[in-house]
Amino acid sequence: MRDIDLNLLRVLDTLLAERSVTRTGQVLGRSQPAVSNALQRLRAALGDDLLVRGPDGLVPTPRAEALRGPLRDAMALMADVLRAGAAFDPAASSALFRISTPDRQSLAVVPSLVTRLQKLAPATTLHVMTADRQHALDLLDDDRTDLALGWIDGEPHHLRHEVLIEESLYCVFRRGHPLLARRRRLDIAGVLSFPHVVVSATGTRTAIFDDLLAARGLSRRALVTVSNFTAVPQLLAGSDMVGVFTRLAARVFDSAFGLATRPVPLDVGRLPTRMVWHARFDRDPAHAWLREQVRTIYRDFRS
């Protein structure tokens, strides 16, 4: 311990999360040479390379990988000790809040959250990452996000979670679509008779609706598969394709892009959206305040 400057442990903790000297410097407010020097001192003190260059950034050695979990816990414990009794003043805070969410949630949630932050905590900033379930959990474990929002099940015991909303699925299509023809009853056979646009953050050609269909012996034709919602409004407005999304996303397509929406004519239940965070931030005043802002937004959505 006499050979270790405790400030170096914060550098190592951040390096293991960011896997980049440049990004670590940005997070800690230090220059790249200062971070590189700290890494050299850590290597000398611990007798290990700790992080070596890989094809996509720095890669931890087995020794560094073994240190990552205990070091993360030790840093969180130290933060709790120093924070004890401290209050969070959103009006005076310049905190960076980091969340992950699938596109379908960010369409509705991010604008509302930005509005609240600008009003209540104008000096704070928001960083949003698009992530599927496993990536969202990895980001929390690596301390690269404060919250994860989305359809996340089977959370590990070291994570906290709560259900924010349960949503039905809606069909989305252009207003002049043949499915809206007068006296035509919307049924699942009609919906599946048209090609679909599918949004899949994982890069596959299916989404949760496909799993729900398969469980009932049904399937749809995915004419176009995209990894985010950017092109979806234009794709639907200019064709007879159909999209199937949750209610909040469908509401945005209706109000912002003039597309038509109808409930999916098949009983597939409701999809829960959860808020997930690491247990070490349960009592953190800033994190608790952020979670309450998200809860308030979803309460408004439910009303």
Side-chain angles (χ1 to χ4, degrees):
M1 288 298 295
R2 287 178 301 181
D3 297 329
I4 294 288
D5 178 347
L6 293 182
N7 286 318
L8 296 178
L9 298 182
R10 187 180 178 209
V11 175
L12 178 57
D13 179 50
T14 309
L15 278 167
L16 289 172
E18 298 296 332
R19 310 292 175 90
S20 162
V21 170
T22 300
R23 288 197 300 272
T24 295
Q26 292 170 346
V27 170
L28 297 178
R30 300 188 184 187
S31 67
Q32 185 172 337
V35 175
S36 296
N37 179 62
L39 179 56
Q40 291 302 322
R41 292 172 62 192
L42 283 161
R43 286 167 169 164
L46 298 176
D48 189 87
D49 285 337
L50 298 175
L51 292 116
V52 297
R53 293 194 180 279
D56 299 313
L58 295 176
V59 179
T61 65
R63 175 78 187 282
E65 196 65 54
L67 286 170
R68 183 169 65 158
L71 179 59
R72 186 93 289 278
D73 292 340
M75 297 299 293
L77 177 61
M78 183 62 69
D80 279 345
V81 170
L82 297 176
R83 271 195 306 261
F88 175 68
D89 181 3
S93 175
S94 58
L96 167 64
F97 292 124
R98 308 161 301 168
I99 68 173
S100 70
T101 177
D103 255 10
R104 65 178 178 84
Q105 291 296 315
S106 62
L107 281 172
V109 175
V110 172
S112 298
L113 182 56
V114 169
T115 297
R116 291 191 67 82
L117 292 180
Q118 288 180 325
K119 178 181 179 182
L120 302 174
T124 61
T125 51
L126 180 66
H127 181 44
V128 180
M129 286 172 271
T130 301
D132 64 1
R133 178 195 180 278
Q134 189 54 55
H135 189 203
L137 298 180
D138 291 342
L139 290 171
L140 286 172
D141 277 337
D142 291 341
D143 194 28
R144 295 178 61 190
T145 55
D146 307 313
L147 286 178
L149 304 176
W151 185 64
I152 302 172
D153 58 354
E155 299 82 3
H157 294 304
H158 64 288
L159 300 179
R160 302 287 187 261
H161 67 94
E162 64 183 75
V163 175
L164 295 168
I165 197 170
E166 292 184 335
E167 296 182 82
S168 301
L169 291 176
Y170 277 68
C171 300
V172 182
F173 30 64
R174 64 182 178 86
R175 292 203 176 273
H177 198 282
L179 286 172
L180 297 176
R182 187 176 300 178
R183 291 191 294 274
R184 177 170 182 168
R185 186 174 69 88
L186 186 66
D187 57 24
I188 192 62
V191 170
L192 298 181
S193 69
F194 288 88
H196 283 229
V197 57
V198 176
V199 180
S200 173
T202 61
T204 63
R205 298 191 68 247
T206 61
I208 182 60
F209 184 54
D210 297 281
D211 297 334
L212 298 172
L213 287 175
R216 293 157 177 80
L218 300 171
S219 63
R220 61 176 172 171
R221 179 193 171 209
L223 178 61
V224 180
T225 307
V226 293
S227 60
N228 58 62
F229 279 94
T230 304
V232 170
Q234 186 174 358
L235 288 170
L236 293 177
S239 73
D240 284 341
M241 284 192 291
V242 177
V244 175
F245 312 114
T246 51
R247 182 175 67 91
L248 290 182
R251 182 188 295 177
V252 173
F253 286 131
D254 181 357
S255 61
F257 300 102
L259 295 170
T261 67
R262 296 291 187 276
V264 168
L266 182 69
D267 184 9
V268 294
R270 296 159 69 88
L271 298 182
T273 291
R274 286 181 169 86
M275 174 167 62
V276 185
W277 66 96
H278 204 288
R280 63 176 173 261
F281 293 123
D282 257 352
R283 294 181 294 172
D284 181 275
H287 283 246
W289 182 85
L290 176 63
R291 294 196 296 269
E292 186 54 35
Q293 305 316 302
V294 173
R295 289 188 192 100
T296 299
I297 290 169
Y298 277 92
R299 280 196 293 267
D300 291 343
F301 289 153
R302 295 196 303 268
S303 61

